[in-house]
Amino acid sequence: MTLLLAGDIGGTKTILRLVETSGNSSLHTIYEERFRSGDFLDLVPMVQQFLAKVDSQIPQKACFAIAGPVANNTAKLTNLVWFLDGERLQEQLGITHVSLINDFAAVGYGILGLEPQDLHTLQAGKHNPEAPIAIIGAGTGLGQGFLIKQGQDYQVFPSEGGHADFAPRTELEFLLLKYLLDKHDIQRVSVERVVSGLGIVAIYQFLRDRQIATESPEIAAVVRCWEQEAGKQDKSVDPGAAIGKAAVEKSDRLSEQTMQLFVEAYAAEAGNLALKLLPYGGLYIAGGIAPKILPLIEDQTFLLTFSQKGRMRSILQDIPVHIILNQQVGIIGAAVCAARL
């Protein structure tokens, strides 16, 4: 038996999980706790407090998924004063091996630890276990990455594909591009500005300002409150979630149109990623948005737009497409990564 420590480190909250792994590579959770990240000056006292509650030995290995860039096993969190260094954590915590990985890389590892009930399959395709696996996930931003088979294991590679150019396909999307360029006085628009939680709000504002449909008082109040709180770190409302919920419930026409444009842009970018990787091992849709708007993705608009690539349509129709329902995929991935150290 090997004792592992897995962590999902965010600017707002941190999840720590103590895991036991046996020779058959199965992972068994012993204890888990959530912390407010801002209550601690560093990760070390948080982990020490966590381990003090567990009557067990110090873990042999640890992996922490970080919401931010990781280089040379070091990371500086965007919304915290923490600077994390794997070697320092090893010394101060007494853990033999400590690895820091990007949070979207953790999602990649997490795919390897998911169960069938953690997934919703949009398209079965023609699965090839030797082919690459692709990941795309809209949430706060737009993460992208991929896995490549090496021997019996997969190696996970994060990417910055979410910062590629937004590629409009319709007249309405070209107008959206022009709107965002003018509004933000910028030279280019990344796909992340459209396909993300903030992208949902941007699309809503575009359709509202162009008077495509009438606002409902309920959603208008949420969006106005969010606009007035611009610049504040802590927001009292989540307009993207409100718009998505209203669209699913069909209670607001402007929200419905917003989410239709969002889903199509999401699908088009997923198709672009699939063309570049040919992931017959599966394309996995991660992030917090997709499970919440599942009915909007299931209505075939997503798959039609995903495969709408001219002569390449038949290729994309053969790629398995899955939505990750388990929102703990990141902490699962950190545990899988720790087991491999």
Side-chain angles (χ1 to χ4, degrees):
M1 297 287 186
T2 302
L3 205 58
L4 311 172
L5 177 61
D8 190 352
I9 317 296
T12 304
K13 72 176 186 299
T14 291
I15 305 172
L16 296 178
R17 177 181 290 184
L18 194 64
V19 177
E20 192 176 59
T21 180
S22 59
N24 61 3
S25 298
S26 63
L27 300 173
H28 172 64
T29 299
I30 298 174
Y31 180 64
E32 178 179 307
E33 189 171 353
R34 293 170 180 256
F35 298 87
R36 279 177 48 88
S37 304
D39 291 344
F40 297 83
L41 295 177
D42 186 66
L43 180 61
V44 170
M46 181 190 290
V47 172
Q48 290 172 335
Q49 179 177 314
F50 172 80
L51 293 176
K53 297 180 181 180
V54 185
D55 185 19
S56 63
Q57 300 176 348
I58 297 295
Q60 293 99 316
K61 307 173 184 179
C63 178
F64 300 105
I66 310 297
V70 177
N72 299 320
N73 212 26
T74 65
K76 186 180 186 305
L77 274 76
T78 306
N79 296 321
L80 291 174
V81 295
W82 295 6
F83 177 77
L84 303 180
D85 183 300
E87 291 187 7
R88 176 177 68 85
L89 294 173
Q90 288 174 184
E91 295 174 3
Q92 295 184 356
L93 295 173
I95 300 175
T96 305
H97 301 287
V98 173
S99 178
L100 306 179
I101 61 174
N102 172 265
D103 57 350
F104 210 74
V107 172
Y109 285 108
I111 287 172
L112 306 177
L114 293 177
E115 302 293 337
Q117 64 269 22
D118 296 326
L119 299 171
H120 177 82
T121 298
L122 285 179
Q123 178 170 278
K126 297 179 180 178
H127 180 256
N128 178 357
E130 300 301 316
I133 294 173
I135 328 159
I136 185 169
T140 304
L142 179 65
Q144 297 187 19
F146 58 98
L147 290 76
I148 300 293
K149 191 77 173 286
Q150 295 189 342
Q152 296 302 310
D153 292 322
Y154 283 92
Q155 186 166 353
V156 179
F157 298 90
S159 85
E160 294 297 341
H163 295 285
D165 296 331
F166 169 56
R169 303 165 303 111
T170 66
E171 182 178 356
L172 189 61
E173 288 184 354
F174 274 104
L175 291 173
L176 171 62
L177 174 64
K178 183 67 166 58
Y179 173 85
L180 292 172
L181 289 170
D182 291 346
K183 180 176 182 178
H184 298 289
D185 191 21
I186 50 179
Q187 299 294 316
R188 61 181 291 274
V189 172
S190 69
V191 66
E192 184 176 79
R193 281 192 182 268
V194 177
V195 184
S196 64
L198 291 178
I200 292 174
V201 184
I203 295 169
Y204 179 94
Q205 292 171 321
F206 159 68
L207 295 176
R208 176 198 67 190
D209 295 349
R210 291 295 182 273
Q211 300 180 339
I212 301 296
T214 304
E215 277 188 293
S216 69
E218 295 79 13
I219 303 301
V222 173
V223 174
R224 293 291 190 281
C225 178
W226 180 83
E227 289 172 337
Q228 290 168 3
E229 293 178 343
K232 295 182 179 179
Q233 184 171 338
D234 296 323
K235 304 288 195 301
S236 63
V237 294
D238 183 349
I243 293 165
K245 185 173 183 291
V248 170
E249 295 173 349
K250 299 185 183 303
S251 61
D252 176 57
R253 181 58 182 156
L254 184 54
S255 294
E256 289 182 64
Q257 291 179 311
T258 296
M259 295 310 298
Q260 180 178 347
L261 202 159
F262 172 81
V263 167
E264 290 177 0
Y266 201 166
E269 180 61 17
N272 290 339
L273 180 62
L275 282 177
K276 294 167 185 173
L277 294 172
L278 298 181
Y280 292 108
L283 183 141
Y284 290 79
I285 301 168
I289 295 176
K292 295 175 183 175
I293 62 166
L294 194 56
L296 306 180
I297 295 179
E298 285 182 306
D299 74 350
Q300 296 305 306
T301 298
F302 187 96
L303 285 178
L304 285 173
T305 308
F306 171 77
S307 61
Q308 199 172 48
K309 304 294 183 185
R311 291 171 293 173
M312 300 294 106
R313 176 187 291 271
S314 61
I315 290 177
L316 294 184
Q317 289 174 336
D318 287 340
I319 291 174
V321 180
H322 311 283
I323 295 177
I324 299 175
L325 302 177
N326 190 336
Q327 292 300 291
Q328 291 196 315
V329 62
I331 193 77
I332 293 171
V336 171
C337 180
R340 292 184 171 195
L341 295 176

